[in-house]
Amino acid sequence: MERWPWPSGGAWLLVAARALLQLLRADLRLGRPLLAALALLAALDWLCQRLLPPPAALAVLAAAGWIALSRLARPPRLPVATRAVLITGCDSGFGKETAKKLDSMGFTVLATVLELNSPGALELRACCSARLKLLQMDLTKPADISRVLEFTKAHTTNTGLWGLVNNAGYNEVVADVELSPVAMFRTCMEVNFFGVLELTKGLLPLLRHSRGRIVTVGSPAGDMPYPCLAAYGTSKAAVVLLMDTFSCELVPWGVKVSVVQPGCFKTGSVTNVDEWEQRKELLLANLPQDLLQVYGKDYIEHLHRQFLHSLSMALPDLSPVVDAIIDALLAAEPRRRYFPGRGLGLMYFIHYYLPESLRRRFLQAFFINHRLPRALQPGHPGPTSAQGPNPSPGSSPVVAR
């Protein structure tokens, strides 16, 4: 039986009034974080009623509710006004959805695509305003980057360039490092690191002048040793370290740098199963015979099935990533890191705080669980049959950026 419902009720009225005001101002969202905070406040209310006198309980509950709503509130945002933003990789996925959202908010959007007649480019033309400009760019081609730099300088004379969103990324192979041609590592580095480096350096004079923002889409694979994603992961690790360096060096200029590390979402590259099948067949066709004998075709087929299974669990709603990019562009004090996606908090906790053996097992269970290579299976020749260095596997053509 409650002894003093009024002080408790008064605290809840205060919390409810502030929550309603924040919702009306769009400073707060209905969702799991808010529901979790309310559940914790209810538990605190129950505890306070049994341990504290009424005045103290009222003060504790009201203060806890105020702090919780303050933490859940969106940080102050800058007005859109006439801000211009360049976004790379708008053919599909995060880039396309971010371009559409920024255009609807009133931004001047410069959206780069690999092909001007791709389905994503045609969709942007059809649904966006005349402010949005489509630019063709392949990040592996310096001439394309130079053309985009010149266009951006010429078309942001009046507005200035407020933000650069380095979204374009590429992965060509899912396989053990030993099975992955070095050429594929170079391709990932060309797109995910060197192309980003060249474009960002070229736009720095504009961004320094506007005291603007740099937002780069990274990947948890750049922080953790995801099985079979070494080529992609090392390129993402390199670009994140580059952005951290920019973040330190650009402080005197007022340029803020953020990295978005999304979980697994259903972007164009994730849903294109046929393309991953072609890449697997290309890998098998170019694999040296000695490696194929040691690992076995069944081993690579197993990796491929495990990878496709993990992609089938990808999240279809891309809005958490789009919201993170927009916050990094407009928040008065943007975060250095954003982690949109389900389960990322648990993954990073395991990665940083649990023993290495548990980290490895978790990533294998979550992503790809290896089977024994052919040479290590009972009844097969041992792995010492191959002598000397392996011949260099053939490289495969780049499919998309």
Side-chain angles (χ1 to χ4, degrees):
M1 185 175 72
E2 295 183 320
R3 293 175 296 160
W4 30 272
W6 172 245
S8 176
W12 279 107
L13 283 175
L14 179 65
V15 170
R18 174 165 184 185
L20 180 60
L21 184 62
Q22 289 181 223
L23 287 169
L24 292 174
R25 291 178 175 174
D27 291 335
L28 187 67
R29 275 187 173 182
L30 285 173
R32 282 182 294 179
L34 178 58
L35 295 177
L38 293 176
L40 290 175
L41 285 175
L44 180 63
D45 184 14
W46 180 88
L47 192 63
C48 287
Q49 290 192 43
R50 283 151 183 79
L51 298 179
L52 298 176
L58 173 62
V60 169
L61 187 60
W66 198 266
I67 292 171
L69 291 176
S70 298
R71 294 294 300 271
L72 290 172
R74 290 181 176 181
R77 286 191 169 183
L78 305 173
V80 172
T82 57
R83 300 183 194 275
V85 175
L86 173 67
I87 311 172
T88 66
C90 295
D91 300 83
S92 63
F94 305 138
K96 184 182 72 174
E97 295 305 316
T98 302
K100 289 162 64 175
K101 181 67 174 179
L102 292 181
D103 178 75
S104 70
M105 294 171 66
F107 279 88
T108 296
V109 178
L110 308 180
T112 78
V113 292
L114 189 60
E115 298 292 342
L116 290 174
N117 292 320
S118 67
L122 296 176
E123 180 181 342
L124 288 176
R125 272 201 198 94
C127 70
C128 293
S129 71
R131 290 188 309 274
L132 184 138
K133 307 297 182 185
L134 283 173
L135 309 173
Q136 189 278 328
M137 182 176 68
D138 182 334
L139 280 170
T140 66
K141 297 179 179 178
D144 284 11
I145 296 175
S146 297
R147 186 176 65 251
V148 168
L149 291 175
E150 291 304 317
F151 184 94
T152 304
K153 292 171 185 176
H155 285 77
T156 58
T157 304
N158 297 326
T159 62
L161 180 68
W162 172 250
L164 165 64
V165 180
N166 289 309
N167 165 72
Y170 182 70
N171 181 35
E172 191 175 358
V173 64
V174 178
D176 293 25
V177 175
E178 189 176 12
L179 301 176
S180 304
V182 174
M184 293 185 179
F185 280 79
R186 291 196 175 101
T187 300
C188 282
M189 289 297 293
E190 284 292 335
V191 178
N192 301 339
F193 178 76
F194 287 110
V196 172
L197 172 62
E198 187 172 353
L199 181 66
T200 305
K201 280 174 60 69
L203 292 174
L204 277 181
L206 299 178
L207 294 168
R208 284 191 283 103
H209 185 265
S210 65
R211 300 175 68 87
R213 305 291 169 84
I214 300 172
V215 185
T216 299
V217 178
S219 170
D223 292 330
M224 310 175 203
Y226 272 66
C228 302
L229 286 185
Y232 180 72
T234 51
S235 65
K236 287 297 186 179
V239 79
V240 167
L241 182 57
L242 173 68
M243 291 302 143
D244 284 344
T245 306
F246 274 136
S247 181
C248 296
E249 295 176 350
L250 295 175
V251 166
W253 300 98
V255 177
K256 292 181 170 61
V257 181
S258 299
V259 173
V260 180
Q261 303 278 64
C264 190
F265 289 84
K266 287 191 176 180
T267 59
S269 61
V270 168
T271 56
N272 196 336
V273 175
D274 291 339
E275 189 168 324
W276 286 113
E277 184 71 29
Q278 292 172 9
R279 293 176 185 178
K280 180 211 54 175
E281 294 297 333
L282 198 58
L283 175 69
L284 284 169
N286 288 287
L287 200 63
Q289 284 302 308
D290 57 348
L291 277 181
L292 189 57
Q293 287 295 321
V294 169
Y295 281 89
K297 182 179 179 181
D298 288 345
Y299 179 86
I300 297 172
E301 295 283 359
H302 172 77
L303 296 182
H304 180 69
R305 288 193 299 271
Q306 292 267 299
F307 175 66
L308 293 183
H309 175 70
S310 71
L311 296 187
S312 69
M313 298 184 290
L315 301 175
D317 181 13
L318 307 187
S319 62
V321 181
V322 175
D323 290 344
I325 294 172
I326 293 172
D327 190 76
L329 288 170
L330 287 180
E333 293 297 331
R335 303 178 200 170
R336 291 276 298 276
R337 290 284 191 279
Y338 292 84
F339 298 95
R342 188 171 54 201
L344 283 184
L346 175 62
M347 292 176 62
Y348 275 91
F349 175 83
I350 291 172
H351 177 68
Y352 286 118
Y353 296 108
L354 295 189
E356 191 274 337
S357 59
L358 292 178
R359 299 199 305 264
R360 184 175 66 250
R361 290 175 188 174
F362 174 78
L363 280 177
Q364 289 176 343
F366 174 79
F367 188 59
I368 291 180
N369 191 1
H370 285 77
R371 63 181 293 175
L372 278 178
R374 180 177 180 272
L376 297 179
Q377 295 175 9
H380 289 280
T384 58
S385 57
Q387 301 292 329
N390 295 320
S392 175
S395 61
S396 58
V398 174
V399 181
R401 303 281 190 274

